[in-house]
Amino acid sequence: MIRVKRMQGRGVTSDKATRLRVAWMYYDRKMTQKDIADALGLARSTVIRLLEEVLRRGEVQIWIGTDSQETLSLAADLAARFDLAEAIIVPQARSQDEATRSVGAALGRFLSETVHEGMSLGVGWGRTLTASLSSFRPTRLPDTRVISLLGGMIEAGRENSTDYAWQLASRMGAECFLYPAPLLVDAPETARILREKCGLDRLDRMAASLDMAVLGVGDIGTGATALSRGLISEPEYERLIESGALCDVMCHALDAQGCEIAHPVNSRIMSVALSVVAETRHLVIASGGEARAGAILAAIRRLGCHTLITDEGAARALLALHDTTD
């Protein structure tokens, strides 16, 4: 029986129950858009808008399998060469922005499938981690803890280091522990006082027993786009490059071998120590783009890695670097 026509304006697309019902009929029941329109008394154009809206809001997730024989072979090679538990490879990106979005989407799916009740999850920051929110489909996990592993910036936004932890925890209804300090302070002595006098040692203790840590990796160089570049002056950044820095992980600058650069900036970063993060039960590194292969390798050398999420270009470059440097 066909229903009478209903309102076709914005009120329909803003109603969540209607959006989800249309999505269920289309994706689960495999009904055509016309059949859905007739069944619900809607115009077909409204059904199309509703389907677009559920995707835009992340109420329906569409994940495209990319496990071709080639990417499976790359993943197996990476796992063997770097002693990984798992490598997740997405198709090669045409730009750094595309790599960030693709790897971030794969990270969101990974977290959706692996984060569980009672877990203690430490997170870094970066554009790749922020991009994971678009594909993160969590259940309610109120007994889960999300811990930010580094301080924040005064100006909040999508790419604030503490904002990612907060958004991730909010979507799960989980506890969230922020690092209540600026990301970068004026002097090493200030960093020492904040750690010793302001209760940050509690976060250090929590971080020492993480079930999982999720980190992004940025590159350092003249053409790099790592977010931390905007935190310091151009002369300081140039001195980092001159000192051999090529990797930015949790805003700590590493050289090609994974050693922290002897530069004052590293001692002014407010974060859980990399040595503590390296002891995490399961460490996830998510970063892509062929240009970042050297930075990813440096992070693996410093911290180790259990799950690596990257793209084909970076994967091939990592294998080539392994063969020429090890």
Side-chain angles (χ1 to χ4, degrees):
M1 183 177 295
I2 298 176
R3 297 187 184 186
V4 296
K5 294 292 182 182
R6 282 172 164 72
M7 176 180 63
Q8 306 297 316
R10 293 178 59 87
V12 175
T13 56
S14 63
D15 179 61
K16 183 176 182 179
T18 303
R19 290 197 306 270
L20 294 180
R21 183 170 182 81
V22 167
W24 175 77
M25 296 169 79
Y26 185 74
Y27 292 107
D28 188 80
R29 295 292 299 274
K30 308 300 182 185
M31 294 174 65
T32 67
Q33 294 169 356
K34 180 180 184 304
D35 288 343
I36 296 169
D38 290 342
L40 298 182
L42 300 171
R44 184 171 176 271
S45 60
T46 301
V47 171
I48 293 171
R49 289 202 304 274
L50 286 164
L51 292 171
E52 291 173 347
E53 188 70 9
V54 291
L55 292 174
R56 187 185 70 80
R57 292 173 181 255
E59 293 166 344
V60 167
Q61 305 287 336
I62 297 177
W63 290 327
I64 300 172
T66 58
D67 294 334
S68 66
Q69 190 60 45
E70 186 174 9
T71 57
L72 288 172
S73 177
L74 272 175
D77 286 346
L78 281 176
R81 304 279 184 91
F82 297 104
D83 194 26
L84 306 173
E86 181 180 16
I88 298 171
I89 313 294
V90 301
Q92 182 161 355
R94 294 167 295 182
S95 66
Q96 184 57 56
D97 284 345
E98 187 174 273
T100 296
R101 291 192 299 272
S102 298
V103 174
L107 173 61
R109 179 176 180 178
F110 173 82
L111 293 174
S112 301
E113 295 171 347
T114 58
V115 177
H116 56 77
E117 191 70 77
M119 176 178 280
S120 179
L121 175 66
V123 298
W125 77 315
R127 295 188 180 99
T128 302
L129 270 60
T130 299
S132 74
L133 294 170
S134 66
S135 59
F136 182 49
R137 186 173 61 190
T139 56
R140 298 293 292 178
L141 301 171
D143 291 332
T144 298
R145 287 181 169 186
V146 178
I147 302 161
S148 180
L149 298 175
L150 64 168
M153 294 179 290
I154 294 173
E155 183 178 349
R158 284 175 54 84
E159 293 165 350
N160 193 319
S161 49
T162 56
D163 190 55
Y164 176 71
W166 177 253
Q167 288 197 53
L168 200 69
S170 296
R171 295 186 182 204
M172 297 184 286
E175 290 185 281
C176 185
F177 295 84
L178 302 180
Y179 202 99
L183 180 56
L184 184 69
V185 295
D186 62 333
E189 180 64 13
T190 304
R192 184 189 65 79
I193 292 172
L194 287 172
R195 289 190 179 94
E196 293 179 359
K197 305 296 184 182
C198 296
L200 296 179
D201 56 332
R202 181 191 176 197
L203 287 170
D204 290 333
R205 289 194 299 272
M206 293 173 67
S209 58
L210 292 173
D211 296 302
M212 181 185 290
V214 181
L215 304 179
V217 173
D219 52 334
I220 295 175
T222 54
T225 58
L227 293 174
S228 59
R229 182 171 188 170
L231 297 175
I232 60 177
S233 67
E234 195 62 30
E236 284 180 309
Y237 189 79
E238 290 173 357
R239 285 195 291 272
L240 277 177
I241 298 173
E242 292 168 0
S243 300
L246 59 77
C247 171
D248 165 15
V249 58
M250 288 174 54
C251 291
H252 291 263
L254 309 180
D255 65 15
Q257 299 306 312
C259 299
E260 289 194 57
I261 296 295
H263 188 285
V265 167
N266 272 342
S267 60
R268 292 162 48 202
I269 296 294
M270 296 302 300
S271 75
V272 171
L274 294 185
S275 58
V276 172
V277 178
E279 298 300 318
T280 299
R281 293 188 184 94
H282 196 99
L283 181 63
V284 180
I285 291 178
S287 184
E290 186 175 346
R292 289 189 172 172
I296 297 169
L297 179 57
I300 293 174
R301 285 172 169 166
R302 176 66 183 88
L303 299 168
C305 181
H306 298 93
T307 295
L308 174 64
I309 305 175
T310 191
D311 72 305
E312 288 180 282
R316 293 192 186 93
L318 270 170
L319 292 170
L321 282 172
H322 179 276
D323 292 342
T324 58
T325 60
D326 288 4

